[in-house]
Amino acid sequence: MVSDITNSACIVYASDDNFAEILGISVISLFENNKDMQEIIVYILDSGISIVNKEKIESIFKEYNRGTPKWIKAKIIIEEISLEVSIDRGSLSQYARLFISSLLPEDTKKVLYLDCDILVLKSIKKLWDLDLHGKTIAALMDAFSRYYRIKIGLKPNDIMFNSGVMLIDLKEWKKQKIEEKLLKFILEKKGNIQQGDQGALNAVLSDDTYCFEPCFNSVSIYF
């Protein structure tokens, strides 16, 4: 549930135990540079994070007086669709975010998804308050070639976005049945998708994405 407090945000991470330490660094950067935010609710889609690492992450929340994270057991994609899937990037835990609409509380209206390796260098308030212009998500247009688009069924000039930072209108996500469309696409491709889960997200959401400025997701290829 997102609080009625105006100066608040709802953040979602997805991680397994291998990425727990990196997740902890991201959380520190989030809290350190958002002391102006009255409330930051953090959901972590847990793909097997150990008790020891959970305690370490929770200690960060206590240090910044941010309560505790909302741990949610992640859905495992290969169990949900009974099919092996390609891991083109990151780990299998990244697929957990495809189930975001069925894992988070029903009344959650909007979330900011962050990859575990994201460093938050400034306040997220401007991004959180961003107008999505009627689109389901906002994300950064990525620098993929036209050949990447062809492999996931897009046209040469269609949008391909970087899924490491996504502002998501969760109500619209549910209305458009994005989760069902993502699973259908993965099954149609027999689990073999260029860029893995990011490829699936692009295939389904390319024409339903508002592209925000690079200041909200600065990637190395731009430099």
Side-chain angles (χ1 to χ4, degrees), residues 92-127:
L92 195 64
S93 66
Q94 289 300 105
Y95 280 91
R97 60 189 174 164
L98 305 188
F99 301 98
I100 197 167
S101 62
S102 58
L103 289 173
L104 267 60
E106 185 66 29
D107 57 353
T108 307
K109 297 177 181 179
K110 180 173 68 171
V111 299
L112 177 61
Y113 169 84
L114 301 177
D115 270 351
C116 294
D117 61 354
I118 293 294
L119 285 176
V120 182
L121 304 181
K122 293 183 179 180
S123 171
I124 61 170
K125 191 174 189 315
K126 189 175 179 181
L127 174 56

Side-chain angles (χ1 to χ4, degrees), residues 13-187:
Y13 287 102
S15 181
D16 58 17
D17 204 44
N18 293 323
F19 281 82
E21 184 176 1
I22 297 171
L23 167 60
I25 294 170
S26 182
V27 171
I28 290 172
S29 72
L30 171 68
F31 291 159
E32 185 65 30
N33 293 293
N34 285 275
K35 293 176 181 178
D36 59 326
M37 299 292 286
Q38 294 180 32
E39 185 172 26
I40 301 177
I41 301 168
V42 179
Y43 292 98
I44 301 175
L45 308 184
D46 171 21
S47 292
I49 301 175
S50 68
I51 293 175
V52 171
N53 281 331
K54 282 184 178 180
E55 290 175 347
K56 289 179 180 179
I57 291 170
E58 288 179 353
S59 71
I60 297 170
F61 282 71
K62 292 177 182 177
E63 181 179 345
Y64 285 90
N65 196 27
R66 292 292 185 178
T68 56
K70 312 294 185 184
W71 298 102
I72 298 179
K73 184 177 180 182
K75 290 186 178 182
I76 302 173
I77 183 70
I78 57 177
E79 294 179 358
E80 294 296 320
I81 64 174
S82 301
L83 182 72
E84 293 292 329
V85 297
S86 59
I87 306 175
D88 197 270
R89 46 184 294 282
S91 72
L92 195 64
S93 66
Q94 289 300 105
Y95 280 91
R97 60 189 174 164
L98 305 188
F99 301 98
I100 197 167
S101 62
S102 58
L103 289 173
L104 267 60
E106 185 66 29
D107 57 353
T108 307
K109 297 177 181 179
K110 180 173 68 171
V111 299
L112 177 61
Y113 169 84
L114 301 177
D115 270 351
C116 294
D117 61 354
I118 293 294
L119 285 176
V120 182
L121 304 181
K122 293 183 179 180
S123 171
I124 61 170
K125 191 174 189 315
K126 189 175 179 181
L127 174 56
W128 179 256
D129 292 336
L130 193 70
D131 183 356
L132 272 65
H133 298 272
K135 302 295 186 179
T136 297
I137 72 167
L140 175 74
M141 184 182 292
D142 218 332
F144 290 106
S145 74
R146 64 178 57 193
Y147 299 106
Y148 279 87
R149 290 164 172 78
I150 292 171
K151 290 181 179 180
I152 58 173
L154 297 178
K155 297 176 182 177
N157 294 321
D158 283 347
I159 291 172
M160 281 197 75
F161 58 86
N162 182 294
S163 61
V165 177
M166 295 186 294
L167 184 64
I168 303 172
D169 181 340
L170 208 53
K171 287 181 66 178
E172 196 63 26
W173 181 289
K174 293 175 182 177
K175 181 180 177 182
Q176 298 297 332
K177 298 183 178 179
I178 299 301
E179 185 173 314
E180 294 176 23
K181 292 176 181 177
L182 288 166
L183 297 184
K184 181 182 179 182
F185 179 80
I186 294 170
L187 286 168

